[in-house]
Amino acid sequence: MIETKQEGRVYRIALNRPEKRNALCIETCRQLVEAFDHADCDPSIGVILLTGNGPAFCAGMDLGDSLQCDPIQLGGLHDKLFTVINRIHKPIIGAVTGAALAGGTGLAANSHILVAHPDARFGLTEIRIGLWPVLIFRAVEHAIGERRAVELSLTGRNFTAEEAHAWGLVTEISPEPEVRAAEIAAAIAEFSPQAISAGLDFVHHSRGHDWEHAGRLGRHTRDRLLASEDYKEGVRAFLEKRQPVWPSLKTHKLS
């Protein structure tokens, strides 16, 4: 249901049901969750590249499959999948070609950086079949704001890559989104795994809190990074005009 491949420190996860426009059946969701969790735990992986094989990124939930599934089991998988941006400590770079509808928009919104083809289209289309995009709503709202997310949920209308870019869901438009996303992923993979992990952890845990709480957490994170071997190596490499060799490449956790 998916394809995975690691090149250097970039781990490519591709939806692989092109004949179904990469619709999300329960097995696809399970494999995606397992792939994300594997990438998060593997210190040899620095960045995740998320894409879809074929002309569509993801058409959303496989509706026929959904009628055969235990809704509690399906809901649990969807909750893990559509909150992956808030669960793991590796950057997710998404590449969207064609349609990214309903759950496809939800997956796109779980990317830290999203590159889309100029002809890509998005939509929170669940209302058309008597649903509300409840589980994907948090990631979409975080990307584009509550008011716009509610409007799209109520109307179920499709929107363009240009609109998605203007609202903040898409970070870049490119005629070759996967090529461009791979370039971005490879560049990020060269940076300190320790700093990335700590930074994303700070983003996760400061979200929704007041400035005082976020400030305490920020100071604590910065103090730990300033005392880290990665920071010392980064400074030495900068002064010596060479590429750093990050000590934390031996482990993906911040000590």
Side-chain angles (χ1 to χ4, degrees):
M1 301 294 179
I2 67 171
E3 283 185 351
T4 60
K5 182 180 181 181
Q6 185 171 347
E7 294 184 352
R9 291 180 45 75
V10 177
Y11 187 66
R12 180 180 182 268
I13 302 175
L15 293 158
N16 191 38
R17 300 182 75 204
E19 75 285 356
K20 295 285 188 179
R21 301 172 69 221
N22 292 325
L24 297 170
C25 67
I26 192 168
E27 183 58 27
T28 303
C29 294
R30 183 181 293 111
Q31 291 182 20
L32 282 169
V33 169
E34 289 175 355
F36 280 120
D37 288 345
H38 163 72
D40 194 35
C41 294
D42 188 339
S44 73
I45 295 170
V47 182
I48 299 165
L49 174 62
L50 177 64
T51 188
N53 292 337
F57 173 72
C58 177
M61 186 165 56
D62 186 321
L63 298 181
D65 180 77
S66 71
L67 294 176
Q68 310 300 320
C69 295
D70 177 352
I72 295 176
Q73 181 187 23
L74 185 62
L77 271 174
H78 282 177
D79 190 50
K80 287 183 178 179
L81 180 59
F82 295 127
T83 59
V84 66
I85 193 173
N86 203 47
R87 292 194 299 106
I88 71 173
H89 296 82
K90 303 286 175 73
I92 303 170
I93 315 302
V96 172
T97 298
L101 302 176
T105 296
L107 278 180
N110 272 273
S111 300
H112 295 94
I113 298 173
L114 185 66
V115 184
H117 189 275
D119 295 332
R121 57 192 178 93
F122 303 83
L124 305 183
T125 55
E126 288 87 346
I127 197 69
R128 302 181 190 180
I129 57 169
L131 286 177
W132 186 273
V134 176
L135 296 182
I136 71 172
F137 190 87
R138 285 167 287 177
V140 175
E141 176 193 16
H142 177 66
I144 66 176
E146 179 185 320
R147 188 173 181 84
R148 179 65 69 183
V150 169
E151 181 261 320
L152 295 170
S153 300
L154 286 171
T155 63
R157 69 179 180 88
N158 291 350
F159 55 97
T160 66
E162 286 188 1
E163 289 175 301
H165 183 254
W167 299 335
L169 175 64
V170 167
T171 48
E172 187 173 329
I173 296 175
S174 170
E176 295 184 303
E178 186 168 342
V179 172
R180 178 58 183 146
E183 291 174 350
I184 295 170
I188 293 173
E190 295 294 319
F191 298 138
S192 161
Q194 192 171 36
I196 289 172
S197 177
L200 291 179
D201 191 62
F202 166 73
V203 172
H204 298 167
H205 289 95
S206 64
R207 184 176 297 136
H209 291 282
D210 59 40
W211 278 43
E212 184 177 353
H213 173 89
R216 287 196 302 269
L217 180 60
R219 289 190 298 273
H220 177 64
T221 302
R222 186 172 184 271
D223 289 347
R224 296 165 71 194
L225 285 173
L226 283 173
S228 72
E229 292 303 315
D230 271 23
Y231 173 72
K232 296 171 186 176
E233 165 62 10
V235 171
R236 285 194 296 265
F238 177 81
L239 295 175
E240 295 167 9
K241 296 181 172 55
R242 60 173 175 82
Q243 291 297 313
V245 180
W246 305 114
S248 71
L249 280 174
K250 299 175 183 178
T251 174
H252 74 297
K253 292 190 178 294
L254 182 64
S255 59

